[in-house]
């Protein structure tokens, strides 16, 4: 079965620093990898999608990398702000499974002033 | 436009009862997903609809769980003979088509006493 590990349950950083979150997976290689943000009591919100043939994707202060050899994705938030505090979920789409997503447990990010 | 909506937002029921959870996806989205999320975990896939048909129901835990989408828009997740272990947040998501970003609703928090 697909196994997804996110580096830690919690990450605390100071405002202005870069937050780096890790997502490692085993077994099957995903065709797509997505990152979502989830706030308490809310549903996940899509942030970025990267395809297996892409190395890097950027959107404003966010950057995602995808290394299919290492079976790893890194998610970076530069110039972090307290408003970035949330849980970040990594999700894999194997491509062959009709778009169902396999989610990691998430990393809870806290950015302190 | 309106996002994905789910009703009720909270549902408390007794063990053995039947419950129905409703999802209104974004208009025009053909793909609809149900996930279940327990505390501290990522969403866990239950079922995927493409149009009116269940294209993948491999995530349903047992035959007490059933879902329908009769007209290709609104979907209802039905749980018979509820058990305490069914307590979780049930999330619905829709997307324009498979392998795209998924838009999640706020979820229904189900508590089985």
């Amino acid at each position: 079965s697909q196994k997804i590990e996110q580096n830690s349950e919690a990450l605390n950083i100071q405002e202005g620093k870069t937050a780096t979150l890790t997502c490692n997976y085993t077994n099957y290689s995903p065709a797509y990898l997505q990152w979502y943000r989830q706030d308490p009591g809310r549903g996940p919100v899509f942030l970025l999608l990267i395809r297996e043939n892409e190395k890097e994707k950027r959107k404003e202060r966010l950057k995602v990398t995808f290394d299919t050899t290492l079976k790893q994705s890194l998610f970076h938030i530069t110039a972090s702000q307290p408003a970035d505090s949330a849980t970040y979920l990594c999700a894999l789409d194997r491509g062959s499974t009709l778009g169902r997503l396999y989610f990691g447990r998430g990393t809870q990010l806290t950015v302190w002033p | 436009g309106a996002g994905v909506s789910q009703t009720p937002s909270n549902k408390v029921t007794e063990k053995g009862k039947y419950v129905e959870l409703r999802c209104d996806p974004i208009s025009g989205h053909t793909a609809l997903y149900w996930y279940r999320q327990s505390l501290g975990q990522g969403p866990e896939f239950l079922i995927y609809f493409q149009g009116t048909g269940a294209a993948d129901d491999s995530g349903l835990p047992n035959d007490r769980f059933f879902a329908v989408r009769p007209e290709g828009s609104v979907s209802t997740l039905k749980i018979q003979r509820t058990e305490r272990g069914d307590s979780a947040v049930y999330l619905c998501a829709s997307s324009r088509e498979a392998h795209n970003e998924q838009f999640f609703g706020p979820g229904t928090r189900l508590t089985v006493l």
Side-chain angles (χ1 to χ4, degrees):
Chain A
S1 61
Q2 189 76 50
K3 187 176 179 184
I4 299 125
E5 291 184 353
Q6 295 193 239
N7 58 325
S8 61
E9 289 188 8
L11 180 65
N12 300 306
I13 65 168
Q14 188 175 20
E15 183 176 10
K17 302 291 186 183
T18 296
T20 298
L21 285 65
T22 304
C23 175
N24 294 293
Y25 58 91
T26 59
N27 296 339
Y28 308 101
S29 289
Y32 312 84
L33 193 146
Q34 302 185 27
W35 284 87
Y36 287 79
R37 167 184 173 141
Q38 188 171 27
D39 292 283
R42 313 285 288 268
V45 174
F46 171 81
L47 296 174
L48 281 168
L49 180 152
I50 188 165
R51 293 174 172 77
E52 62 179 337
N53 61 349
E54 297 176 318
K55 297 291 186 186
E56 183 178 295
K57 205 79 167 285
R58 291 176 184 258
K59 179 182 175 182
E60 298 173 350
R61 295 185 295 111
L62 308 180
K63 184 177 84 171
V64 173
T65 62
F66 194 7
D67 189 325
T68 55
T69 301
L70 292 178
K71 295 192 173 184
Q72 181 181 80
S73 174
L74 298 179
F75 178 79
H76 306 272
I77 306 175
T78 59
S80 60
Q81 305 165 1
D84 294 327
S85 299
T87 295
Y88 291 85
L89 298 161
C90 166
L92 274 59
D93 176 347
R94 285 169 46 189
S96 62
T97 50
L98 305 173
R100 76 179 271 183
L101 294 177
Y102 296 84
F103 280 89
R105 295 180 61 180
T107 296
Q108 186 173 350
L109 174 67
T110 301
V111 181
W112 43 279
Chain B
V4 177
S5 62
Q6 293 185 245
T7 54
S9 55
N10 280 284
K11 177 71 177 177
V12 180
T13 190
E14 293 179 343
K15 181 175 178 295
K17 299 289 188 184
Y18 168 83
V19 297
E20 288 190 353
L21 312 179
R22 176 187 167 109
C23 172
D24 278 88
I26 292 172
S27 178
H29 281 192
T30 59
L32 185 146
Y33 304 84
W34 283 98
Y35 295 87
R36 177 168 72 173
Q37 187 173 27
S38 300
L39 192 63
Q41 303 294 318
E44 175 190 21
F45 170 80
L46 295 175
I47 187 169
Y48 159 63
F49 286 91
Q50 180 58 44
T52 61
D56 181 358
D57 64 357
S58 61
L60 295 177
N62 51 59
D63 61 6
R64 295 186 297 106
F65 289 74
F66 188 70
V68 295
R69 195 186 184 196
E71 297 179 358
S73 58
V74 171
S75 176
T76 305
L77 178 66
K78 308 180 182 194
I79 310 174
Q80 298 177 321
R81 304 182 305 281
T82 52
E83 300 177 356
R84 292 193 181 89
D86 298 335
S87 297
V89 174
Y90 288 80
L91 294 164
C92 175
S94 71
S95 65
R96 210 171 293 277
E97 54 188 17
H99 311 303
N100 282 10
E101 62 181 284
Q102 295 186 14
F103 295 82
F104 282 81
T108 294
R109 180 175 298 278
L110 175 67
T111 303
V112 182
L113 301 177

